[in-house]
């Protein structure tokens, strides 16, 4: 009976660690929405680079592409300036933000390792 209780305790611990890691990830995303915007722009740029264009598309879309490019550059600069201003207002530096991201990923890695170990131990005990 003790083994069964121990297994359930380990499973509960793994659930708590995973839930905590997920909560910290959501908090990080909520506090760093510019990272989501940058990621979306990067994915869009990659998709656009991988899709081949015909000559007719190039001819018709070149002016639109230039206009959109100029607007995107302006939007990116505005977002960068606004983000930098908010970081300064909060008293955060680039290094502090990097440290927070590093800490978040270390926490996620630790949670994944702990959850994996618990799963392996549970599976081994059942065998």
């Amino acid at each position: 009976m003790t083994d069964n209780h121990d297994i359930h305790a380990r499973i509960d611990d793994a659930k708590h660690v995973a839930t905590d890691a997920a909560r910290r990830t959501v908090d990080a995303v909520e506090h760093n929405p510019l990272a989501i915007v940058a990621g979306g722009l990067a994915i869009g740029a990659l998709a656009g680079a991988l899709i081949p264009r015909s000559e007719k598309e190039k001819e018709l879309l070149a002016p639109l592409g230039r206009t959109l490019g100029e607007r995107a550059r302006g939007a990116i600069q505005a977002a960068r300036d606004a983000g930098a201003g908010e970081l300064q207002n909060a008293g955060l530096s680039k290094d502090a933000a990097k440290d927070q991201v590093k800490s978040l990923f270390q926490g996620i890695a630790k949670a994944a390792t702990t959850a994996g170990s618990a799963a392996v131990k549970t599976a081994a005990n059942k065998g």
Side-chain angles (χ1 to χ4, degrees), residues 54-99:
S54 69
E55 289 302 317
K56 189 67 172 174
E57 285 175 316
K58 289 178 186 177
E59 178 185 326
L60 293 173
L61 296 177
L64 177 61
R66 280 190 292 277
T67 301
L68 289 176
E70 290 170 6
R71 288 182 183 176
R73 281 187 289 279
I76 290 168
Q77 186 61 46
R80 183 180 295 146
D81 293 344
E86 286 299 317
L87 287 173
Q88 285 179 339
N89 289 341
L92 296 175
S93 67
K94 185 186 280 188
D95 290 334
K98 285 181 184 178
D99 289 343

Side-chain angles (χ1 to χ4, degrees), residues 16-28 104 108 111:
H16 289 297
V17 169
T19 301
D20 186 49
R23 187 176 309 118
R24 287 189 306 209
T25 301
V26 168
D27 288 343
L104 173 68
I108 290 171

